[in-house]
Amino acid sequence: MNKEDESDVLLTVREVCDELRISRSTLSDWRDRQCAPPCSKLPNGKLRFRRSELDRWLSSHAETT
């Protein structure tokens, strides 16, 4: 898989929560407050997060010291 393909990988809620070290309820709260990483809802109702969007979201929320 090349670098471009990796950025289009769809991550599950569990994978995002594990990476961010947060609980599912925290992610749900963030989604309710519209401050969570962008995601898409599949026809089966499950959420998926694009790797590129998660990385962009993380960069935009990084603290500079």
Side-chain angles (χ1 to χ4, degrees):
M1 186 177 282
N2 66 34
K3 194 74 166 166
E4 187 175 309
D5 291 339
E6 289 175 15
S7 71
D8 263 351
V9 169
L10 294 175
L11 304 171
T12 65
V13 169
R14 172 173 284 176
E15 290 169 328
V16 171
C17 288
D18 287 350
E19 183 166 333
L20 298 177
R21 296 181 181 178
I22 60 171
S23 67
R24 285 176 174 258
S25 63
T26 296
L27 183 60
S28 180
D29 289 345
W30 288 359
R31 284 183 31 84
D32 290 344
R33 293 185 305 175
Q34 299 179 342
C35 62
C39 64
S40 299
K41 189 177 276 192
L42 300 178
N44 64 5
K46 296 191 183 242
L47 300 176
R48 292 295 181 267
F49 300 79
R50 285 198 186 284
R51 162 55 60 195
S52 58
E53 291 292 326
L54 179 61
D55 290 344
R56 189 174 299 118
W57 182 85
L58 283 169
S59 293
S60 73
H61 287 80
E63 288 188 17
T64 56
T65 56

